[in-house]
Amino acid sequence: MKVLVPIKRVVDYNVKVRAKSDETGPDLANVKMAINPFCEIAVEEAIRLKEAGTAQEIIAVSIGTTACQEQLRTALALGADRAILVETELEVEPLGVAKLLKSVAEKEQPDLIILGKQAIDDDSNQTGQMLASLLSYPQGTFASEIKIGEGKISVTREVDGGLQTVSLNLPAVVTTDLRLNEPRYASLPNIMKAKKKPLDTLTPEELGVDASPRTEILKVSPPPERAAGVIVESVDELIDKLKNEAKVIT
Amino acid sequence: MSILVIAEHDNEELKVATLNTITAAKEIGTEIDLLIAGFSCETVADQACSIPDIRKVIVSDSESYKNFLAENIGLLVSEIGKDYSHILAAATSNGKNFMPRVAALLDVSQISEIISVLSEDTFERPIYAGNCIATVKSSDPIKVITVRTTGFDDCEDQGGSATKENLDEDSNLGISSFVSEELAKSDRPELTSADIVISGGRGMQNGENFRLLEGIADKLGAAIGASRAAVDSGFVPNDMQVGQTGKIVAPNLYIAVGISGAIQHLAGMKDSKVIVAINKDGDAPIFQVADYGLVADLFDALPELEAKL
Ligand SMILES: Cc1cc2nc3c(=O)[nH]c(=O)nc-3n(C[C@H](O)[C@H](O)[C@H](O)COP(=O)(O)OP(=O)(O)OC[C@H]3O[C@@H](n4cnc5c(N)ncnc54)[C@H](O)[C@@H]3O)c2cc1C
Ligand SMILES: Nc1ncnc2c1ncn2[C@@H]1O[C@H](COP(=O)(O)O)[C@@H](O)[C@H]1O
């Protein structure tokens, strides 16, 4: 089968992003960028399907500026066979991303599309579900285990109460949760080889998709600050503070 | 302007998350309808009718909605939702699952996890793990919104008398089916609505040691949570993870034990009213958000705390 893996270029998860002082946006000057961690898990899962002989071809797709090539090359180094960049300077919202991915999926006809459950920059948690809906595909979101069967996929999902397993007709959309797998690192020889793998570039216009935003960001501000706390010297002092100062226990 | 709120329930009882969502709806407008989609969910519908200030309770009772499969619920809500200006659901794993499908079917954006309502089209939502708060204004004709429950108090659930309307619409895409469920059973309060939460991290060393937290949770009537590291290491199940990509909690008291305080963990608990950190490393970042920090070995501190409470 053919697997499509959409990956997003985001700020590295170790970076604590702050709002710009004029509140026009997050301050992203000189911050380290990386593949969204959930997308790394998606790439890893696709590679495992290929190693198991279930998948034959893995295509990584990213929507964004030319700089996204860097993350696509990483996906290629990890084991994707080819990559597609849908190049745009626009900040595309999940709905626009889903429309662009739909159009790519219609061209490529994948049997399975694996996305991250959430991009750690916008924290939207929407794109996979929207894509599935636009394609009229079923979805297995927040996956911690997948099993491919005859024309079907079984997905175990992390839900608020515990775990849920659903069975979906293929083609389907899966979004990854943290426990699905542990992504590997790219080896140096594979990084070298990845430079020769195909990376095609398309534009939203070529795909015939209007990806203009529906939501305007009026401002981006810092969260309310917490007042500085104190270090207590003992368990007794802690209990005393909680009872008599904070009054949160009796 | 009229608002459709999608109720969160398990076919037996209405979940508190619904009440938080209604509070958000009330800040947007006054004409609020509540949709109960489920199977054999008559008791839920009856409970819902007593919530004050609800115009009507719409009940869609069908086997297709029994397990809340997103494919089917998404289709149903997009059909009913066409006539509303706003569609709201709680940002639970269920709401997060079906709401983007609704938005896509209506060709509108979704505004995820709002924490406040500034006007009928302008909302605040955290981004970058809560390190920034974005004020966003939607130009879509229908606003599809998920609500972070910690951002809104729960509304009253008694004293109302909404009318009930039964729908016999059956939306079943037939492309997905429910197989099984392993739900955690616990006598403790729910993590997301508990007044007190005590969480353990990698410092707990193993699942067995979570007993040290249980003794304290029993005395305080607290829920138990965990960091990602504790879940990934298999100490406790996934549904206990607090954080950016787990559950968001904001109890009166949050006690973090053996948790370093990574950005992603803080994202899930830093709006708690009072935060206590117990960690043997005085430089752990968790102390920067803690109201009361205790630098100690948890294996000494926890038994002492339990004994003295
Ligand atoms: C995409 C992504 C999403 C994530 N989502 C989440 C999330 O939702 N929630 C989450 O929690 N994390 C999340 N993380 C992980 C996060 O980055 C941290 O790795 C994690 O929170 C660390 O857990 P911890 O504090 O338990 O472990 P550690 O960072 O290893 O800290 C353990 C702490 O225990 C203390 N300790 C050890 N022994 C003792 C003792 N005997 N007594 C007292 N203290 C002791 C140590 O001093 C240390 O501070 C995510 C990461 C990524 C990349
Ligand atoms: N610009 C993008 N390019 C490629 N994939 C994306 C993009 N934005 C989102 N995605 C995919 O959708 C997932 C969820 O993102 P979000 O809905 O924004 O939280 C990500 O983990 C990616 O797999």
Side-chain angles (χ1 to χ4, degrees), chain B residues 43-106:
Chain B
T43 46
V44 182
D46 290 339
Q47 279 172 33
C49 286
S50 61
I51 302 174
D53 307 322
I54 299 294
R55 193 168 60 173
K56 68 179 176 194
V57 172
I58 305 167
V59 187
S60 200
D61 196 317
S62 155
E63 199 153 2
S64 303
Y65 312 134
K66 183 175 173 191
N67 302 106
F68 313 108
L69 291 170
E71 295 77 8
N72 302 345
I73 300 271
L75 186 58
L76 171 76
V77 174
S78 70
E79 288 294 328
I80 302 177
K82 281 194 182 101
D83 302 328
Y84 291 85
S85 60
H86 296 74
I87 307 173
L88 269 66
T92 54
S93 60
N94 180 44
K96 288 173 182 170
N97 196 31
F98 75 83
M99 283 292 266
R101 288 190 82 104
V102 174
L105 289 170
L106 295 173

Side-chain angles (χ1 to χ4, degrees), chain B residues 167-243:
Chain B
L167 283 188
D168 52 2
E169 191 148 358
D170 185 15
S171 305
N172 193 333
L173 278 182
I175 50 178
S176 55
S177 58
F178 170 83
V179 178
S180 62
E181 208 162 52
E182 262 176 71
L183 297 185
K185 283 196 194 70
S186 162
D187 299 328
R188 294 182 203 289
E190 261 186 64
L191 191 50
T192 48
S193 53
D195 275 338
I196 302 180
V197 173
I198 181 164
S199 291
R202 199 195 311 270
M204 298 301 296
Q205 289 178 6
N206 56 46
E208 191 71 354
N209 289 336
F210 265 72
R211 290 228 183 110
L212 297 170
L213 301 181
E214 285 170 18
I216 296 169
D218 287 341
K219 288 201 162 165
L220 295 175
I224 301 184
S227 71
R228 172 187 175 184
V231 176
D232 283 8
S233 311
F235 302 173
V236 290
N238 61 278
D239 55 277
M240 287 168 66
Q241 181 181 314
V242 170

Side-chain angles (χ1 to χ4, degrees), chain A residues 13 37-38 120 178, chain B residues 200-205 226-230 241-246 258-265 278-281 284 296-299:
Chain A
Y13 79 95
F38 287 101
I120 60 163
L178 296 167
Chain B
R202 199 195 311 270
M204 298 301 296
Q205 289 178 6
S227 71
R228 172 187 175 184
Q241 181 181 314
V242 170
Q244 179 188 15
T245 60
I259 293 178
S260 61
I263 299 169
Q264 294 82 11
H265 189 79
I278 302 177
N279 196 306
K280 67 176 180 190
D281 172 8
D297 192 306
L298 68 92
F299 296 102

